[in-house]
Amino acid sequence: MASASDGMNYAPQGKPDPVVKPGEFCFAVAAMDHGHIFGQTNGLTEAGATLKYTFDKLDPDKARNLADQHGAQHVTDLDVILNDPEVQLVAAAAIPNERAPLGIRCMDAGKHYFTDKTPLVSLEQLGDVKAAIGRTGKKYMVYYSERLHVECAMHATELIEQGAIGRVFQVTGFGPHRLGPPEGRPDWFYKHEQYGGILCDIGSHQIEQFLTYAGCKDATVQAAKVANYQHPQFPELEDYGDCTLIGDNGATMFFRVDWFTPIDLRAFGDGRTFIVGTEGFIELRKYVDIGNPDGPGDHLILVNKDGEQRMDLKGKVGFKFFGRLIRDCIDGTETAMTQAHALKAAELCVRAQMQAERVTD
Amino acid sequence: MASASDGMNYAPQGKPDPVVKPGEFCFAVAAMDHGHIFGQTNGLTEAGATLKYTFDKLDPDKARNLADQHGAQHVTDLDVILNDPEVQLVAAAAIPNERAPLGIRCMDAGKHYFTDKTPLVSLEQLGDVKAAIGRTGKKYMVYYSERLHVECAMHATELIEQGAIGRVFQVTGFGPHRLGPPEGRPDWFYKHEQYGGILCDIGSHQIEQFLTYAGCKDATVQAAKVANYQHPQFPELEDYGDCTLIGDNGATMFFRVDWFTPIDLRAFGDGRTFIVGTEGFIELRKYVDIGNPDGPGDHLILVNKDGEQRMDLKGKVGFKFFGRLIRDCIDGTETAMTQAHALKAAELCVRAQMQAERVTD
């Protein structure tokens, strides 16, 4: 799909590593408002899932093209998907404030749901989602791509589990993004009610990484900020946000997100994660190694008692989340990500957004 | 002096660049509790100042050695220094909570004062210092070495003034430090009342950089944290701290400091500064370029409309602060740093410390 310089449509591709036979696990695509749907589709199909249907209520051509690429069927009625018992999971990247209602509809039709982040934009939606999970027993899983679809970030997950840096007590995340030509973004991108605010939207990746790397089950938002520094023509756009959290185990996080990536950077953003533990630290350079002309992304730097190690992980780690998600749906397990974890990250990004102090007029 | 792997005694050396003739500007060293005094002395003598006396109330041998290196006179009575009209400035790195009283004594004796950071540890001391400045007309200047004595940090100061990244709206600073063998530190290092808390001590560097790079005259502390994660044998040690601030112009900062640098890192800490502006960003890798075996410190990476540039600045920028400070003392100017700026950073680090939430028991 698109290159790493276009964040909206960045869709990592991995090696096929099927966990099911063709046709054993069918899914459908039900909303394509955000380009992340291509990454979601890649991840699932590379893990062996079969794309049976595609649907997009606004852009049938886009849905038809995706269907053609995967030998799937394009439909113009969502109910075809919801009424087909072969469809076990619905993947979707709807407008953020429509993600929860769509998911609940899918779950009530007996489907697992796999939504782009942010999975929801209010505590009310969170309550509705939790009720639907209780009512249906279906999964409401989330594409937190900045960890799940980044090889160095997945490798960090394993290194930390293995104790490579001791007990993690601090995570700092930078999630800068390129806005690109303003007219290249859909209307909803500039409407706060629809996109949910910058902390809720691209901030959700960051909080999910904190909960994972620091091993927190819960956290509190200590402070948060949002701003519109440079885009008065879009008064509802937040072009900057940050947040600091305190985990239930005493670990802490800070992250910042923005829409200021310079046009000449080789990636959509200089995404970084810094993870500090009692026995060492890890730095992730996710999409580019700035200042190094040969430096692609997916670098992990580990400093601990064994010295400094730099790992170029492109193509070496893979994306285990997707196969595990498929198996979880079939087996009723939670090996890819627990439901509680997925929703806790969502809850905290909503709380960060609600609590944010606006630092510009 | 010592290498960059020993933060307590790290004393950068530059090229001689005298702004005065020998003997034209005499200074004395009056306290050597922190090894920063060697960096202060290097900076001043390289800029042409003449070290006339050394004094340390606890360790006369250390003071005598320094005197011998510079052809100065070691004295065992501070009053010799204070009573000599040739001495225009007293440099000192006392125990943090003794820095203000010593400085006020020097100023009342008609000397300018140049203290190691943190310059003071309470709002009461701040009031006393301001009163002394008003009473004596003397300077109370501060060795914020993590900018003033780091070439890439000084170059960032100039690039930002030239508009290289537009309007700076965010600064993130990492100030990790190596504790080293615990018995290698003096008693006062572990006593909160004496060292002032981690945000006040090594945090002061960070706030000074924020005020400089973001061009703030004032700021508020939005939130702060301190912790003792791993050193129960030193209950008054804070081995971690962080803080987020909002500047009077809407720019923001986050910094974290800690005492967890792994033993095998090539420097006392992976000091970093990330400065984001509306037209680009700058990253400083101050003491080491981790993961790059050939990578020394003093790297500046600039990303803006001209693309990505990596600058190796070791030996190329120099340390202009010291010559300017000498001229300011002679000429009654404020070209090195304004008094208001030096004290605002001090005030904010005290406020951060007072406001900090403790996240460990």
Side-chain angles (χ1 to χ4, degrees):
Chain A
M1 298 293 163
S3 78
S5 68
D6 174 7
M8 178 88 176
N9 292 299
Y10 179 48
Q13 288 185 297
K15 298 186 192 112
D17 187 14
V19 300
V20 287
K21 299 194 198 89
E24 187 179 345
F25 185 83
C26 290
F27 76 105
V29 162
M32 302 180 67
D33 295 284
H34 195 294
H36 274 170
I37 192 64
F38 299 113
Q40 296 170 258
T41 302
N42 286 356
L44 288 169
T45 55
E46 287 161 5
T50 302
L51 178 60
K52 186 164 184 183
Y53 299 109
T54 68
F55 170 77
D56 186 76
K57 69 179 174 185
L58 291 180
D59 195 340
D61 287 346
K62 187 157 57 174
R64 192 176 298 112
N65 286 341
L66 184 65
D68 290 348
Q69 286 166 29
H70 289 274
Q73 183 183 345
H74 170 244
V75 296
T76 55
D77 180 357
L78 181 59
D79 281 331
V80 175
I81 292 170
L82 300 183
N83 292 331
D84 184 339
E86 264 198 2
V87 174
Q88 297 184 58
L89 178 145
V90 174
I95 295 169
N97 71 333
E98 297 177 5
R99 289 172 185 170
L102 176 60
I104 292 166
R105 189 172 162 199
C106 294
M107 293 159 83
D108 279 330
K111 315 302 184 194
H112 298 291
Y113 183 61
F114 179 43
T115 178
D116 185 24
K117 68 73 227 170
T118 179
L120 46 88
V121 301
S122 69
L123 295 180
E124 187 184 1
Q125 287 191 341
L126 177 67
D128 293 344
V129 166
K130 285 183 174 175
I133 293 166
R135 182 169 69 239
T136 66
K138 295 297 167 186
K139 291 185 187 297
Y140 190 95
M141 272 294 122
V142 186
Y143 182 61
Y144 291 114
S145 56
E146 292 188 18
R147 185 175 65 88
L148 304 175
H149 230 160
V150 174
E151 292 187 278
C152 65
M154 290 303 284
H155 194 55
T157 310
E158 292 188 9
L159 286 174
I160 291 164
E161 283 170 4
Q162 292 161 10
I165 58 170
R167 180 166 57 104
V168 170
F169 63 83
Q170 219 280 332
V171 179
T172 298
F174 299 162
H177 284 62
R178 176 176 289 131
L179 185 62
E183 64 280 9
R185 297 276 175 178
D187 282 353
W188 60 260
F189 182 85
Y190 300 104
K191 293 185 179 155
H192 201 282
E193 183 184 349
Q194 290 185 284
Y195 78 87
I198 194 170
L199 297 175
C200 200
D201 179 12
I202 52 180
S204 58
H205 292 292
Q206 299 291 331
I207 294 177
E208 194 279 330
Q209 288 171 84
F210 171 52
L211 297 177
T212 300
Y213 294 141
C216 302
K217 294 214 179 325
D218 202 353
T220 57
V221 175
Q222 192 195 27
K225 314 179 195 70
V226 294
N228 181 329
Y229 286 115
Q230 189 84 335
H231 298 89
Q233 70 275 39
F234 303 115
E236 296 188 32
L237 177 70
E238 293 161 349
D239 58 21
Y240 175 80
D242 71 32
C243 175
T244 180
L245 301 110
I246 303 173
D248 56 4
N249 59 2
T252 73
M253 177 183 218
F254 171 78
F255 71 85
R256 60 170 165 77
V257 287
D258 70 55
W259 289 104
F260 280 99
T261 294
I263 193 69
D264 267 6
L265 189 71
R266 289 167 285 164
F268 70 86
D270 182 22
R272 302 273 192 105
T273 310
F274 305 86
I275 310 161
V276 190
T278 51
E279 310 294 331
F281 62 92
I282 287 171
E283 175 176 349
L284 306 180
R285 297 181 188 166
K286 291 185 171 182
Y287 314 114
V288 62
D289 183 20
I290 60 163
N292 175 358
D294 305 319
D298 264 323
H299 278 172
L300 184 153
I301 299 171
L302 169 65
V303 180
N304 63 10
K305 63 177 164 29
D306 301 321
E308 298 173 38
Q309 296 174 70
R310 180 193 184 93
M311 305 175 200
D312 179 354
L313 296 168
K314 191 123 209 141
K316 296 183 184 156
V317 177
F319 305 114
K320 294 181 184 171
F321 171 81
F322 301 92
R324 288 180 179 174
L325 172 59
I326 292 169
R327 290 304 331 171
D328 285 347
C329 290
I330 295 171
D331 303 335
T333 50
E334 289 200 311
T335 61
M337 180 182 289
T338 68
Q339 187 63 72
H341 174 92
L343 293 185
K344 182 54 71 178
E347 174 191 336
L348 291 170
C349 72
V350 170
R351 292 191 186 281
Q353 192 70 46
M354 293 168 66
Q355 202 170 319
E357 179 172 347
R358 188 167 170 110
V359 298
T360 50
D361 300 331
Chain B
M1 296 294 163
S3 78
S5 68
D6 174 9
M8 178 90 178
N9 292 298
Y10 179 48
Q13 288 185 299
K15 299 185 190 112
D17 186 13
V19 298
V20 287
K21 299 194 198 90
E24 187 179 344
F25 185 83
C26 290
F27 75 105
V29 162
M32 302 181 67
D33 295 285
H34 196 294
H36 274 170
I37 192 65
F38 299 113
Q40 295 170 260
T41 302
N42 287 355
L44 288 169
T45 56
E46 287 160 7
T50 301
L51 179 61
K52 184 164 185 183
Y53 299 109
T54 68
F55 170 76
D56 187 75
K57 70 178 175 185
L58 291 179
D59 194 340
D61 286 345
K62 188 157 57 174
R64 192 175 298 111
N65 286 341
L66 184 65
D68 290 347
Q69 286 165 29
H70 289 273
Q73 183 182 344
H74 169 244
V75 296
T76 54
D77 180 357
L78 180 60
D79 281 331
V80 176
I81 293 170
L82 299 184
N83 292 332
D84 183 340
E86 264 198 2
V87 173
Q88 297 183 60
L89 178 145
V90 174
I95 295 169
N97 71 334
E98 298 177 4
R99 289 172 186 172
L102 175 62
I104 292 166
R105 190 171 162 198
C106 294
M107 294 159 81
D108 279 330
K111 315 301 183 194
H112 298 292
Y113 183 60
F114 179 42
T115 178
D116 186 24
K117 68 71 226 168
T118 180
L120 46 88
V121 300
S122 69
L123 295 180
E124 188 184 1
Q125 287 190 342
L126 177 67
D128 293 344
V129 165
K130 285 183 173 175
I133 293 166
R135 184 168 68 237
T136 66
K138 295 298 167 186
K139 291 186 188 297
Y140 190 96
M141 272 294 122
V142 186
Y143 182 61
Y144 291 115
S145 56
E146 293 188 17
R147 185 176 65 89
L148 304 175
H149 229 160
V150 174
E151 293 186 277
C152 66
M154 290 302 284
H155 194 56
T157 309
E158 293 187 9
L159 286 174
I160 291 164
E161 282 170 6
Q162 292 162 10
I165 58 170
R167 180 166 57 103
V168 170
F169 63 84
Q170 218 278 334
V171 179
T172 298
F174 298 162
H177 284 63
R178 176 176 288 131
L179 184 61
E183 64 279 10
R185 298 276 175 178
D187 281 354
W188 60 262
F189 182 86
Y190 299 105
K191 292 185 180 156
H192 201 282
E193 184 184 348
Q194 290 185 285
Y195 78 87
I198 192 169
L199 296 175
C200 200
D201 179 12
I202 52 181
S204 58
H205 292 291
Q206 300 291 331
I207 294 176
E208 193 279 330
Q209 288 170 86
F210 171 53
L211 297 177
T212 300
Y213 294 141
C216 302
K217 293 213 180 328
D218 201 354
T220 56
V221 175
Q222 191 195 30
K225 315 179 194 67
V226 293
N228 180 329
Y229 285 115
Q230 189 84 335
H231 299 89
Q233 71 275 39
F234 302 115
E236 294 188 35
L237 177 71
E238 293 162 349
D239 57 22
Y240 175 80
D242 71 33
C243 175
T244 180
L245 301 108
I246 303 172
D248 56 3
N249 59 1
T252 73
M253 178 184 217
F254 171 78
F255 71 85
R256 60 170 165 78
V257 286
D258 71 53
W259 289 104
F260 280 99
T261 295
I263 193 71
D264 266 6
L265 190 72
R266 288 167 287 164
F268 70 85
D270 181 22
R272 303 272 192 104
T273 309
F274 305 86
I275 309 162
V276 190
T278 52
E279 309 295 332
F281 62 92
I282 286 172
E283 174 176 350
L284 306 180
R285 298 181 187 167
K286 291 186 169 180
Y287 314 114
V288 62
D289 183 19
I290 59 163
N292 176 357
D294 305 319
D298 265 321
H299 278 172
L300 183 153
I301 299 171
L302 168 66
V303 181
N304 63 10
K305 63 177 164 31
D306 300 321
E308 299 173 38
Q309 296 175 70
R310 179 192 185 93
M311 305 175 199
D312 178 355
L313 296 168
K314 192 123 210 142
K316 295 181 185 156
V317 178
F319 305 114
K320 295 180 183 171
F321 171 82
F322 301 93
R324 289 180 179 174
L325 173 59
I326 292 169
R327 291 302 334 170
D328 285 347
C329 290
I330 294 171
D331 303 335
T333 49
E334 289 201 313
T335 61
M337 178 180 291
T338 68
Q339 187 63 73
H341 174 92
L343 292 185
K344 183 54 73 177
E347 174 190 338
L348 289 170
C349 73
V350 170
R351 292 192 187 279
Q353 191 70 47
M354 292 168 68
Q355 202 171 318
E357 179 173 346
R358 189 166 169 112
V359 297
T360 50
D361 300 331

